[in-house]
Amino acid sequence: MSEVFKVTSRQAGKFIVIAVEGYINNLAGEKVLDEFNRRTAEGYRHFVLNLEKTQLVNSIGVSILIEMIEKTQEFNGSLAFCSLLPIIAKTFKIMGLTQYARVYETEAEAIAG
Amino acid sequence: MSANAPKRFELEIPIAHDRELEATKIAEQVAEEMQFGPDCVAEIKLALIEGIINAFEHSGSAMQKVLVEFAIHDEELEVVVQDFGQGFDASSKPAAARPLQKRGYGRRLMESLMDEVKYFTSPQGTRLVMKKRRPKRA
């Protein structure tokens, strides 16, 4: 039994916005990481992860997001999150992600930096 | 202590990818019936997911299933995840989080999201008992 999971990306100025739909577990997290890696291979360094249509991220999914944060740190890029449900914002706070990645209310705010 | 006998539900979850979501659908129904708000419902669902995937990943169970129970008490919802693995040392607290640590957050998440988390563990398996207090009625 799998829920619908979708990941898409688009360019917005210097940013790549990765939009994720569905529950982020290990396999879904790997798909997000694949998209991130594909875009970094194209030369992009600044990312916004829009989680407006994501209801839950489990701890394995978060560990994959941490891997993405580490990679952006290696190449002096950035990764920000936007449009988080309260449960996801709380999860990120508990797991310490908010110390290393900015969180914005909306995608427009994230792109404006 | 509950004045009334709790209403109980039990389901068996096969150890397989994404099967934890079956339990979260029941958790959602039960929690909404108990008038938990949407944020609390999401917290219960995530704590349950973490309990189940911990059992999937770490129990070392030869039986390819875990049992999930819900008990509706007057004042709280009790959620139980029972595995049939080898048990573990429940007295060892999860290590303090290191910067950008990648794993080992499941227990920390459950303890942060629920009001009470207890383990009853033996070489025959582990029973994780989590409780969330019912919201006060206005």
Side-chain angles (χ1 to χ4, degrees), chain A residues 1 23 25-26 58 60, chain B residues 11-24 47-68 81-86 103 110 126 128:
Chain A
M1 156 183 172
Y23 165 47
N25 56 7
N26 52 339
N58 74 17
I60 305 175
Chain B
L11 66 154
E12 197 176 290
I13 306 289
I15 296 182
H17 180 70
D18 268 5
R19 297 303 288 265
E20 69 275 14
L21 294 177
E22 289 176 22
T24 65
L48 177 56
I49 284 173
E50 294 300 328
I52 293 173
I53 60 179
N54 264 358
F56 282 5
E57 286 200 327
H58 304 300
S59 69
S61 174
M63 292 175 74
Q64 291 300 301
K65 66 176 183 182
V66 300
L67 292 181
V68 175
V81 179
Q82 169 79 56
D83 71 50
F84 304 94
Q86 300 152 354
R103 298 304 299 272
M110 289 185 279
T126 297
L128 162 67

CSV table of all heavy atoms in Angstrom, one decimal, chain A residues 1 23 25-26 58 60, chain B residues 11-24 47-68 81-86 103 110 126 128:
chain,number,residue,atom,x,y,z
A,1,MET,N,0.8,-1.2,0.0
A,1,MET,CA,0.0,0.0,0.0
A,1,MET,C,0.9,1.2,0.0
A,1,MET,O,1.6,1.5,0.9
A,1,MET,CB,-0.8,-0.1,1.3
A,1,MET,CG,-1.3,1.2,1.7
A,1,MET,SD,-2.2,1.0,3.3
A,1,MET,CE,-2.4,2.8,3.6
A,23,TYR,N,3.8,11.6,1.5
A,23,TYR,CA,4.5,11.2,2.8
A,23,TYR,C,6.0,10.9,2.4
A,23,TYR,O,6.3,10.1,1.6
A,23,TYR,CB,3.8,9.9,3.3
A,23,TYR,CG,4.5,9.1,4.3
A,23,TYR,CD1,5.1,9.6,5.4
A,23,TYR,CD2,4.6,7.7,4.2
A,23,TYR,CE1,5.7,8.8,6.4
A,23,TYR,CE2,5.1,6.9,5.1
A,23,TYR,CZ,5.7,7.5,6.3
A,23,TYR,OH,6.3,6.7,7.2
A,25,ASN,N,9.1,9.2,3.3
A,25,ASN,CA,9.8,8.2,4.0
A,25,ASN,C,11.1,7.9,3.3
A,25,ASN,O,11.7,8.8,2.6
A,25,ASN,CB,8.9,6.9,4.0
A,25,ASN,CG,8.5,6.5,2.6
A,25,ASN,OD1,9.0,7.0,1.6
A,25,ASN,ND2,7.6,5.5,2.6
A,26,ASN,N,11.7,6.7,3.5
A,26,ASN,CA,13.0,6.4,2.9
A,26,ASN,C,13.0,6.5,1.4
A,26,ASN,O,13.8,7.2,0.7
A,26,ASN,CB,13.5,5.1,3.4
A,26,ASN,CG,12.6,3.9,3.2
A,26,ASN,OD1,11.3,4.1,3.1
A,26,ASN,ND2,13.1,2.7,3.2
A,58,ASN,N,8.9,11.2,8.0
A,58,ASN,CA,9.4,10.4,9.1
A,58,ASN,C,10.9,10.6,9.3
A,58,ASN,O,11.5,11.4,8.6
A,58,ASN,CB,9.0,8.9,8.9
A,58,ASN,CG,9.8,8.2,7.9
A,58,ASN,OD1,10.9,8.6,7.4
A,58,ASN,ND2,9.3,7.1,7.4
A,60,ILE,N,13.4,8.9,8.9
A,60,ILE,CA,14.4,8.4,7.8
A,60,ILE,C,14.3,9.5,6.7
A,60,ILE,O,15.4,9.8,6.1
A,60,ILE,CB,14.0,7.0,7.3
A,60,ILE,CG1,13.9,6.0,8.4
A,60,ILE,CG2,15.0,6.6,6.2
A,60,ILE,CD1,13.4,4.6,8.0
B,11,LEU,N,-4.8,-4.2,15.6
B,11,LEU,CA,-4.6,-4.6,14.2
B,11,LEU,C,-3.2,-5.2,14.0
B,11,LEU,O,-2.3,-4.8,14.8
B,11,LEU,CB,-4.9,-3.5,13.2
B,11,LEU,CG,-4.0,-2.3,13.2
B,11,LEU,CD1,-4.1,-1.7,11.7
B,11,LEU,CD2,-4.6,-1.3,14.1
B,12,GLU,N,-3.0,-6.0,13.0
B,12,GLU,CA,-1.7,-6.7,12.8
B,12,GLU,C,-1.2,-6.0,11.5
B,12,GLU,O,-1.8,-5.9,10.5
B,12,GLU,CB,-2.0,-8.1,12.5
B,12,GLU,CG,-0.8,-9.0,12.6
B,12,GLU,CD,-1.2,-10.5,12.4
B,12,GLU,OE1,-1.9,-11.0,13.3
B,12,GLU,OE2,-0.9,-11.0,11.4
B,13,ILE,N,0.1,-5.6,11.6
B,13,ILE,CA,0.7,-4.9,10.5
B,13,ILE,C,1.9,-5.8,10.0
B,13,ILE,O,2.8,-6.0,10.7
B,13,ILE,CB,1.3,-3.5,10.9
B,13,ILE,CG1,0.2,-2.7,11.6
B,13,ILE,CG2,2.0,-2.8,9.8
B,13,ILE,CD1,-0.8,-2.1,10.7
B,14,PRO,N,1.8,-6.2,8.7
B,14,PRO,CA,3.0,-7.0,8.2
B,14,PRO,C,4.2,-6.1,8.1
B,14,PRO,O,4.1,-4.8,7.8
B,14,PRO,CB,2.5,-7.4,6.8
B,14,PRO,CG,1.1,-7.1,6.7
B,14,PRO,CD,0.8,-6.0,7.8
B,15,ILE,N,5.4,-6.6,8.3
B,15,ILE,CA,6.6,-5.8,8.2
B,15,ILE,C,6.9,-5.7,6.7
B,15,ILE,O,7.4,-6.6,6.1
B,15,ILE,CB,7.8,-6.5,8.9
B,15,ILE,CG1,7.5,-6.5,10.4
B,15,ILE,CG2,9.1,-5.7,8.7
B,15,ILE,CD1,8.6,-7.1,11.3
B,16,ALA,N,6.5,-4.6,6.1
B,16,ALA,CA,6.7,-4.3,4.7
B,16,ALA,C,6.6,-2.8,4.5
B,16,ALA,O,6.0,-2.1,5.3
B,16,ALA,CB,5.6,-5.0,3.9
B,17,HIS,N,7.2,-2.4,3.4
B,17,HIS,CA,7.3,-1.0,3.1
B,17,HIS,C,5.9,-0.3,3.1
B,17,HIS,O,4.9,-0.8,2.5
B,17,HIS,CB,7.9,-0.8,1.7
B,17,HIS,CG,8.0,0.6,1.3
B,17,HIS,ND1,8.9,1.5,1.9
B,17,HIS,CD2,7.4,1.4,0.4
B,17,HIS,CE1,8.8,2.7,1.4
B,17,HIS,NE2,7.9,2.7,0.4
B,18,ASP,N,5.8,0.8,3.8
B,18,ASP,CA,4.6,1.7,3.8
B,18,ASP,C,3.5,1.1,4.6
B,18,ASP,O,2.4,1.8,4.7
B,18,ASP,CB,4.2,2.1,2.4
B,18,ASP,CG,4.8,3.4,1.9
B,18,ASP,OD1,5.6,3.9,2.6
B,18,ASP,OD2,4.4,3.8,0.8
B,19,ARG,N,3.6,-0.1,5.1
B,19,ARG,CA,2.4,-0.7,5.8
B,19,ARG,C,2.1,0.1,7.1
B,19,ARG,O,1.0,-0.1,7.6
B,19,ARG,CB,2.6,-2.2,6.1
B,19,ARG,CG,2.8,-3.0,4.8
B,19,ARG,CD,1.6,-2.9,3.8
B,19,ARG,NE,0.4,-3.6,4.3
B,19,ARG,CZ,0.1,-4.8,4.0
B,19,ARG,NH1,0.9,-5.5,3.1
B,19,ARG,NH2,-1.0,-5.4,4.4
B,20,GLU,N,3.0,0.9,7.6
B,20,GLU,CA,2.7,1.6,8.8
B,20,GLU,C,1.6,2.6,8.6
B,20,GLU,O,0.9,3.1,9.5
B,20,GLU,CB,4.0,2.4,9.3
B,20,GLU,CG,4.5,3.5,8.4
B,20,GLU,CD,5.4,3.0,7.3
B,20,GLU,OE1,5.5,1.8,7.0
B,20,GLU,OE2,6.1,3.9,6.7
B,21,LEU,N,1.4,3.0,7.3
B,21,LEU,CA,0.3,3.9,7.0
B,21,LEU,C,-1.1,3.4,7.3
B,21,LEU,O,-2.0,4.1,7.5
B,21,LEU,CB,0.4,4.4,5.5
B,21,LEU,CG,1.7,5.2,5.2
B,21,LEU,CD1,1.7,5.5,3.7
B,21,LEU,CD2,1.8,6.4,6.0
B,22,GLU,N,-1.2,2.1,7.2
B,22,GLU,CA,-2.5,1.4,7.5
B,22,GLU,C,-2.9,1.8,9.0
B,22,GLU,O,-4.0,2.1,9.3
B,22,GLU,CB,-2.4,-0.1,7.4
B,22,GLU,CG,-2.3,-0.6,6.0
B,22,GLU,CD,-2.1,-2.1,6.0
B,22,GLU,OE1,-2.5,-2.8,6.9
B,22,GLU,OE2,-1.6,-2.6,5.0
B,23,ALA,N,-1.9,1.7,9.9
B,23,ALA,CA,-2.2,2.0,11.3
B,23,ALA,C,-2.5,3.5,11.5
B,23,ALA,O,-3.3,3.8,12.3
B,23,ALA,CB,-1.0,1.6,12.1
B,24,THR,N,-1.8,4.3,10.7
B,24,THR,CA,-2.1,5.8,10.9
B,24,THR,C,-3.5,6.2,10.5
B,24,THR,O,-4.1,7.1,11.0
B,24,THR,CB,-1.1,6.7,10.1
B,24,THR,OG1,-1.2,6.5,8.7
B,24,THR,CG2,0.3,6.4,10.5
B,47,ALA,N,4.2,9.8,15.7
B,47,ALA,CA,4.8,9.0,16.8
B,47,ALA,C,4.5,7.5,16.5
B,47,ALA,O,5.4,6.6,16.7
B,47,ALA,CB,4.2,9.4,18.2
B,48,LEU,N,3.3,7.2,16.0
B,48,LEU,CA,3.0,5.8,15.7
B,48,LEU,C,3.9,5.3,14.6
B,48,LEU,O,4.4,4.1,14.6
B,48,LEU,CB,1.5,5.7,15.3
B,48,LEU,CG,1.0,4.3,14.9
B,48,LEU,CD1,1.3,3.3,16.0
B,48,LEU,CD2,-0.5,4.4,14.6
B,49,ILE,N,4.1,6.1,13.5
B,49,ILE,CA,5.0,5.7,12.4
B,49,ILE,C,6.4,5.4,12.9
B,49,ILE,O,7.0,4.4,12.6
B,49,ILE,CB,5.0,6.8,11.4
B,49,ILE,CG1,3.7,6.9,10.5
B,49,ILE,CG2,6.2,6.7,10.5
B,49,ILE,CD1,3.6,8.1,9.6
B,50,GLU,N,6.9,6.3,13.8
B,50,GLU,CA,8.2,6.1,14.3
B,50,GLU,C,8.3,4.8,15.2
B,50,GLU,O,9.3,4.0,15.1
B,50,GLU,CB,8.7,7.3,15.2
B,50,GLU,CG,8.8,8.6,14.4
B,50,GLU,CD,9.9,8.5,13.3
B,50,GLU,OE1,10.8,7.7,13.4
B,50,GLU,OE2,9.7,9.1,12.2
B,51,GLY,N,7.3,4.5,16.0
B,51,GLY,CA,7.2,3.3,16.7
B,51,GLY,C,7.2,2.1,15.9
B,51,GLY,O,8.0,1.1,16.1
B,52,ILE,N,6.4,2.1,14.8
B,52,ILE,CA,6.3,0.9,13.9
B,52,ILE,C,7.6,0.8,13.1
B,52,ILE,O,8.1,-0.4,13.0
B,52,ILE,CB,5.1,1.1,13.0
B,52,ILE,CG1,3.8,1.0,13.8
B,52,ILE,CG2,5.1,0.0,11.9
B,52,ILE,CD1,2.6,1.3,13.0
B,53,ILE,N,8.2,1.8,12.6
B,53,ILE,CA,9.4,1.6,11.7
B,53,ILE,C,10.6,1.3,12.6
B,53,ILE,O,11.5,0.5,12.2
B,53,ILE,CB,9.7,2.8,10.8
B,53,ILE,CG1,9.9,4.1,11.5
B,53,ILE,CG2,8.7,3.0,9.7
B,53,ILE,CD1,10.3,5.3,10.5
B,54,ASN,N,10.6,1.7,13.9
B,54,ASN,CA,11.6,1.2,14.8
B,54,ASN,C,11.5,-0.3,15.0
B,54,ASN,O,12.5,-1.0,15.0
B,54,ASN,CB,11.5,1.9,16.2
B,54,ASN,CG,12.4,3.0,16.4
B,54,ASN,OD1,13.2,3.4,15.5
B,54,ASN,ND2,12.3,3.7,17.5
B,55,ALA,N,10.3,-0.8,15.1
B,55,ALA,CA,10.0,-2.2,15.3
B,55,ALA,C,10.4,-2.9,14.0
B,55,ALA,O,11.0,-4.0,14.1
B,55,ALA,CB,8.6,-2.5,15.6
B,56,PHE,N,10.1,-2.4,12.8
B,56,PHE,CA,10.4,-3.0,11.6
B,56,PHE,C,12.0,-3.1,11.4
B,56,PHE,O,12.5,-4.1,11.0
B,56,PHE,CB,10.0,-2.1,10.4
B,56,PHE,CG,8.5,-2.2,10.0
B,56,PHE,CD1,7.6,-2.9,10.8
B,56,PHE,CD2,8.0,-1.5,8.9
B,56,PHE,CE1,6.3,-3.0,10.5
B,56,PHE,CE2,6.6,-1.6,8.6
B,56,PHE,CZ,5.8,-2.3,9.4
B,57,GLU,N,12.7,-2.0,11.8
B,57,GLU,CA,14.1,-2.0,11.5
B,57,GLU,C,15.0,-2.6,12.6
B,57,GLU,O,16.0,-3.2,12.2
B,57,GLU,CB,14.5,-0.5,11.4
B,57,GLU,CG,14.1,0.2,10.1
B,57,GLU,CD,14.9,1.4,9.9
B,57,GLU,OE1,15.3,2.1,10.8
B,57,GLU,OE2,15.2,1.7,8.7
B,58,HIS,N,14.6,-2.5,13.8
B,58,HIS,CA,15.5,-2.8,14.9
B,58,HIS,C,15.1,-4.0,15.8
B,58,HIS,O,15.9,-4.5,16.6
B,58,HIS,CB,15.7,-1.6,15.8
B,58,HIS,CG,16.2,-0.4,15.1
B,58,HIS,ND1,17.3,-0.4,14.4
B,58,HIS,CD2,15.6,0.8,15.0
B,58,HIS,CE1,17.5,0.8,13.8
B,58,HIS,NE2,16.5,1.6,14.2
B,59,SER,N,13.9,-4.6,15.6
B,59,SER,CA,13.5,-5.6,16.5
B,59,SER,C,14.2,-6.9,16.3
B,59,SER,O,14.3,-7.7,17.2
B,59,SER,CB,11.9,-5.8,16.5
B,59,SER,OG,11.6,-6.4,15.2
B,60,GLY,N,14.6,-7.2,15.1
B,60,GLY,CA,15.2,-8.4,14.7
B,60,GLY,C,14.2,-9.6,14.8
B,60,GLY,O,14.6,-10.7,15.1
B,61,SER,N,13.0,-9.3,14.6
B,61,SER,CA,11.9,-10.3,14.7
B,61,SER,C,11.9,-11.3,13.6
B,61,SER,O,12.0,-10.9,12.4
B,61,SER,CB,10.6,-9.6,14.8
B,61,SER,OG,9.5,-10.5,14.8
B,62,ALA,N,11.7,-12.6,14.0
B,62,ALA,CA,11.6,-13.6,12.9
B,62,ALA,C,10.1,-13.6,12.4
B,62,ALA,O,9.8,-14.0,11.3
B,62,ALA,CB,11.9,-15.0,13.5
B,63,MET,N,9.2,-13.1,13.3
B,63,MET,CA,7.8,-13.0,12.8
B,63,MET,C,7.7,-11.7,12.0
B,63,MET,O,8.0,-10.6,12.6
B,63,MET,CB,6.9,-13.0,14.1
B,63,MET,CG,6.9,-14.3,14.8
B,63,MET,SD,5.9,-14.2,16.3
B,63,MET,CE,4.2,-14.2,15.6
B,64,GLN,N,7.1,-11.8,10.9
B,64,GLN,CA,7.1,-10.6,10.0
B,64,GLN,C,5.8,-9.8,10.2
B,64,GLN,O,5.1,-9.5,9.3
B,64,GLN,CB,7.2,-11.1,8.5
B,64,GLN,CG,8.5,-11.7,8.1
B,64,GLN,CD,9.6,-10.6,8.3
B,64,GLN,OE1,9.6,-9.6,7.7
B,64,GLN,NE2,10.6,-10.9,9.2
B,65,LYS,N,5.6,-9.4,11.5
B,65,LYS,CA,4.5,-8.6,11.8
B,65,LYS,C,4.7,-7.8,13.1
B,65,LYS,O,5.6,-8.2,13.9
B,65,LYS,CB,3.2,-9.4,11.9
B,65,LYS,CG,3.3,-10.4,13.1
B,65,LYS,CD,2.0,-11.2,13.3
B,65,LYS,CE,2.0,-12.1,14.5
B,65,LYS,NZ,0.8,-12.9,14.7
B,66,VAL,N,4.0,-6.8,13.3
B,66,VAL,CA,3.9,-6.1,14.6
B,66,VAL,C,2.4,-6.0,14.9
B,66,VAL,O,1.5,-6.0,14.0
B,66,VAL,CB,4.6,-4.7,14.6
B,66,VAL,CG1,6.0,-4.8,14.3
B,66,VAL,CG2,3.9,-3.7,13.7
B,67,LEU,N,2.1,-5.9,16.2
B,67,LEU,CA,0.7,-5.6,16.6
B,67,LEU,C,0.6,-4.2,17.0
B,67,LEU,O,1.4,-3.7,17.7
B,67,LEU,CB,0.3,-6.5,17.7
B,67,LEU,CG,0.2,-8.0,17.4
B,67,LEU,CD1,-0.3,-8.8,18.7
B,67,LEU,CD2,-0.8,-8.3,16.3
B,68,VAL,N,-0.5,-3.5,16.6
B,68,VAL,CA,-0.8,-2.2,17.1
B,68,VAL,C,-2.2,-2.2,17.8
B,68,VAL,O,-3.1,-2.8,17.3
B,68,VAL,CB,-0.8,-1.2,15.9
B,68,VAL,CG1,-1.2,0.2,16.3
B,68,VAL,CG2,0.5,-1.2,15.2
B,81,VAL,N,2.6,-0.5,20.4
B,81,VAL,CA,3.2,-1.2,19.3
B,81,VAL,C,4.0,-2.4,19.9
B,81,VAL,O,4.9,-2.2,20.7
B,81,VAL,CB,4.2,-0.3,18.5
B,81,VAL,CG1,4.9,-1.1,17.4
B,81,VAL,CG2,3.5,1.0,17.9
B,82,GLN,N,3.6,-3.5,19.5
B,82,GLN,CA,4.2,-4.8,20.1
B,82,GLN,C,4.9,-5.5,19.0
B,82,GLN,O,4.4,-5.8,17.9
B,82,GLN,CB,3.0,-5.7,20.6
B,82,GLN,CG,3.5,-7.1,21.0
B,82,GLN,CD,4.2,-7.2,22.3
B,82,GLN,OE1,3.6,-6.7,23.3
B,82,GLN,NE2,5.4,-7.7,22.4
B,83,ASP,N,6.2,-5.7,19.2
B,83,ASP,CA,7.0,-6.5,18.2
B,83,ASP,C,7.4,-7.8,18.9
B,83,ASP,O,7.2,-8.0,20.1
B,83,ASP,CB,8.2,-5.8,17.7
B,83,ASP,CG,9.3,-5.6,18.7
B,83,ASP,OD1,9.7,-6.6,19.3
B,83,ASP,OD2,9.8,-4.4,18.8
B,84,PHE,N,7.9,-8.8,18.1
B,84,PHE,CA,8.3,-10.1,18.6
B,84,PHE,C,9.7,-10.4,18.4
B,84,PHE,O,10.2,-11.5,18.0
B,84,PHE,CB,7.4,-11.1,17.9
B,84,PHE,CG,5.9,-10.8,18.1
B,84,PHE,CD1,5.2,-10.1,17.2
B,84,PHE,CD2,5.3,-11.2,19.3
B,84,PHE,CE1,3.9,-9.8,17.3
B,84,PHE,CE2,3.9,-10.9,19.5
B,84,PHE,CZ,3.2,-10.2,18.5
B,85,GLY,N,10.5,-9.3,18.6
B,85,GLY,CA,12.0,-9.4,18.4
B,85,GLY,C,12.7,-9.7,19.6
B,85,GLY,O,12.2,-10.4,20.5
B,86,GLN,N,14.0,-9.2,19.7
B,86,GLN,CA,14.9,-9.7,20.7
B,86,GLN,C,14.9,-8.8,21.9
B,86,GLN,O,15.7,-9.0,22.9
B,86,GLN,CB,16.3,-9.8,20.1
B,86,GLN,CG,16.3,-10.8,19.0
B,86,GLN,CD,17.4,-10.4,17.9
B,86,GLN,OE1,18.1,-9.4,18.0
B,86,GLN,NE2,17.6,-11.3,17.0
B,103,ARG,N,20.7,9.7,12.1
B,103,ARG,CA,19.8,8.7,12.5
B,103,ARG,C,19.6,8.7,14.0
B,103,ARG,O,20.3,9.4,14.7
B,103,ARG,CB,20.3,7.3,12.1
B,103,ARG,CG,20.4,7.1,10.6
B,103,ARG,CD,19.0,7.4,9.9
B,103,ARG,NE,17.9,6.5,10.3
B,103,ARG,CZ,17.7,5.4,9.7
B,103,ARG,NH1,18.4,4.9,8.7
B,103,ARG,NH2,16.7,4.6,10.1
B,110,MET,N,9.2,10.4,19.3
B,110,MET,CA,8.1,9.9,20.0
B,110,MET,C,7.9,10.5,21.4
B,110,MET,O,6.8,10.9,21.8
B,110,MET,CB,8.2,8.4,20.2
B,110,MET,CG,8.0,7.6,18.9
B,110,MET,SD,8.1,5.8,19.1
B,110,MET,CE,9.8,5.5,19.2
B,126,THR,N,9.2,-6.5,22.4
B,126,THR,CA,9.1,-5.2,23.0
B,126,THR,C,7.7,-4.6,22.9
B,126,THR,O,7.1,-4.7,21.8
B,126,THR,CB,10.1,-4.2,22.4
B,126,THR,OG1,11.4,-4.7,22.7
B,126,THR,CG2,9.9,-2.8,23.0
B,128,LEU,N,5.8,-1.2,23.2
B,128,LEU,CA,6.0,0.3,23.3
B,128,LEU,C,4.6,0.8,23.6
B,128,LEU,O,3.6,0.6,22.9
B,128,LEU,CB,6.5,0.8,22.0
B,128,LEU,CG,6.3,2.3,21.7
B,128,LEU,CD1,7.2,3.1,22.7
B,128,LEU,CD2,6.7,2.7,20.3
